[in-house]
Amino acid sequence: MAKILVVDDETDLELLIKQKFRKKIRENAYEFVFAHNGVEALEKLAQHPDMDIILSDINMPEMDGLTLLTKLPEANPLVKAVIVSAYGDMDNIRMAMNRGAFDFVCKPVNFEDLEVTMEKTVQHVIQLRETMQAIKENNILRMYVDENVLKFMTHKEFENSLMANETIEGTVLFMDICGFTSITEKVQANTVVKLLNTFFDLMVKEIIAQGGHVDKFMGDAVMAVFKGEYHLDRAIDAGLAVRQHFKEVEEVNMDGVAFKPQVSIGINSGEMVSGNIGSASLRRLDYTVIGDAVNLAQRLQSAAQPGQLVISEAAYQKAKESFHCQKIGEVSLKNKANPVTIYEVME
């Protein structure tokens, strides 16, 4: 249904409009609202925010149609106005168009021509609303979808290569907020989620600052991927910065439960597969990285104590000239046949 505001001080026009468009009104194609001047029109717009178009005369008491045009962007930026007036000289037409009128129809009104103009104007408003909705949805989408996915979607043939992947050299970082799971049993969910988001924001800022990408949030943990030059160094710098932030965070009291946040971090570099993982049939895909290097990074985080940043032997050999590390020793990690030598990055 198109909602149309008719603004005219000629009272007989309301009856004429209802007669000429009675079939459209019965079919619920058109709904008309009437006002007798610009002031009333603005009141009607406030009452009907879903208004599509306005049919307005020029010469009216209190507020004329040309003045009304200047008020519309603030009252309703999506509504479009068509001036319907006997003052069809070029000066009035140009003034109306310059003030934002979508079209101009001269009186006496040819109702067939008016209907064509109305349909054209309604379609334009619909397109505007769809565009605004798409922008809104796109902004929301950006909050849920990784930047790499958005870049991938701009490729010319991305739909044909949804399940394609590539082997890359990169670094994976896992960070877990220690002890956070246990307090969820004692604290209200709203409080827990609010605090968790605060910590996540702190972690994400440092990941982004070092050129990393957040791959996913997993409960109270974050997985991030670093690619390109110095990917290992940048990942360690991000982890050290996050660890320092958590050291500076004071004890939090939530619903009478005291909690001192700490973070455990695992980092590993190596070859990994990057691409869409999931089911194209189900239309559920996850743009991520997989491989033994990724699994080891998660195992290292599990082995890390609160406040520790742990790396593998291979990562240590690459990072030892840039960072001060301390050998922890050999540890047994889940699903690893042999013990693994690990190191803690001190600074």
Side-chain angles (χ1 to χ4, degrees):
M1 181 187 293
K3 204 165 188 177
I4 304 158
L5 174 60
V6 180
V7 190
D8 200 305
D9 60 336
E10 296 180 14
T11 54
D12 59 341
L13 182 64
E14 179 175 342
L15 181 60
L16 189 59
I17 288 283
K18 290 179 177 178
Q19 289 176 348
K20 292 294 184 180
F21 294 106
R22 61 184 182 278
K23 185 177 179 182
K24 291 284 189 179
I25 294 172
R26 287 200 304 266
E27 294 172 348
N28 288 327
Y30 292 161
E31 178 185 351
F32 288 98
V33 178
F34 297 91
H36 299 106
N37 55 60
V39 174
E40 282 188 26
L42 293 176
E43 293 173 356
K44 296 292 185 182
L45 282 175
Q47 297 168 10
H48 302 272
D50 57 342
M51 197 70 68
D52 293 304
I53 66 173
I54 296 174
L55 307 178
S56 177
D57 194 8
I58 289 180
N59 189 20
M60 297 178 292
E62 294 192 68
M63 182 187 291
D64 61 75
L66 295 177
T67 303
L68 174 61
L69 287 174
T70 65
K71 307 289 185 181
L72 294 182
E74 183 178 352
N76 187 333
L78 291 182
V79 74
K80 291 300 174 184
V82 175
I83 296 296
V84 183
S85 174
Y87 296 92
D89 57 278
M90 187 54 66
D91 286 344
N92 275 309
I93 293 175
R94 285 187 58 80
M95 188 178 296
M97 302 306 286
N98 287 337
R99 293 189 179 189
F102 185 78
D103 211 333
F104 199 108
V105 174
C106 294
K107 289 182 178 180
V109 177
N110 180 323
F111 280 92
E112 290 184 2
D113 176 60
L114 177 62
E115 185 169 5
V116 171
T117 303
M118 288 162 56
E119 288 291 339
K120 179 182 67 174
T121 310
V122 167
Q123 288 304 313
H124 180 75
V125 172
I126 290 172
Q127 290 175 1
L128 280 177
R129 287 195 170 137
E130 289 176 348
T131 300
M132 292 298 293
Q133 181 66 22
I135 292 172
K136 185 184 295 184
E137 290 172 354
N138 186 54
N139 289 336
I140 295 172
L141 179 68
R142 287 178 179 276
M143 296 176 67
Y144 286 91
V145 180
D146 184 80
E147 182 183 349
N148 289 314
V149 179
L150 297 175
K151 289 179 179 178
F152 175 73
M153 289 170 63
T154 63
H155 293 174
K156 185 177 180 180
E157 298 179 351
F158 81 95
E159 289 185 355
N160 297 326
S161 59
L162 279 176
M163 303 306 292
N165 54 65
E166 60 177 334
T167 301
I168 64 166
E169 189 75 21
T171 295
V172 179
L173 174 151
F174 283 89
M175 292 190 284
D176 182 79
I177 304 172
C178 305
F180 201 85
T181 304
S182 61
I183 67 170
T184 60
E185 301 174 0
K186 309 169 187 175
V187 180
Q188 291 184 356
N190 297 353
T191 306
V192 170
V193 171
K194 185 177 179 180
L195 185 63
L196 185 61
N197 286 338
T198 300
F199 291 148
F200 276 161
D201 196 47
L202 182 153
M203 298 157 85
V204 168
K205 284 178 180 177
E206 296 300 336
I207 292 168
I208 293 174
Q210 294 297 333
H213 300 287
V214 175
D215 186 281
K216 60 175 67 71
F217 296 99
M218 306 171 295
D220 53 8
V222 178
M223 172 184 171
V225 182
F226 294 77
K227 305 176 187 177
E229 292 186 338
Y230 302 105
H231 51 80
L232 175 59
D233 286 17
R234 290 187 284 111
I236 293 176
D237 280 334
L240 289 173
V242 169
R243 185 176 69 179
Q244 183 60 35
H245 283 310
F246 271 77
K247 284 182 179 179
E248 296 169 358
V249 174
E250 296 181 359
E251 186 175 84
V252 180
N253 192 296
M254 298 182 293
D255 299 339
V257 179
F259 175 66
K260 177 63 174 80
Q262 289 183 289
V263 64
S264 61
I265 304 170
I267 294 176
N268 189 46
S269 287
E271 191 176 85
M272 56 197 72
V273 177
S274 174
N276 284 301
I277 310 299
S279 169
S281 301
L282 188 60
R283 297 184 179 274
R284 290 291 300 274
L285 299 172
D286 187 13
Y287 193 87
T288 187
V289 290
I290 60 171
D292 185 62
V294 180
N295 295 337
L296 180 55
Q298 188 171 31
R299 301 290 182 262
L300 293 173
Q301 180 275 309
S302 299
Q305 297 299 310
Q308 280 190 329
L309 193 166
V310 174
I311 60 175
S312 65
E313 172 77 32
Y316 166 73
Q317 294 301 330
K318 297 176 183 177
K320 63 183 179 180
E321 293 183 0
S322 302
F323 300 92
H324 171 52
C325 303
Q326 183 174 305
K327 186 175 180 179
I328 296 176
E330 290 188 345
V331 294
S332 297
L333 300 179
K334 184 179 178 181
N335 296 331
K336 292 293 177 182
N338 300 314
V340 177
T341 302
I342 63 174
Y343 295 77
E344 179 182 359
V345 181
M346 308 305 294
E347 57 183 358

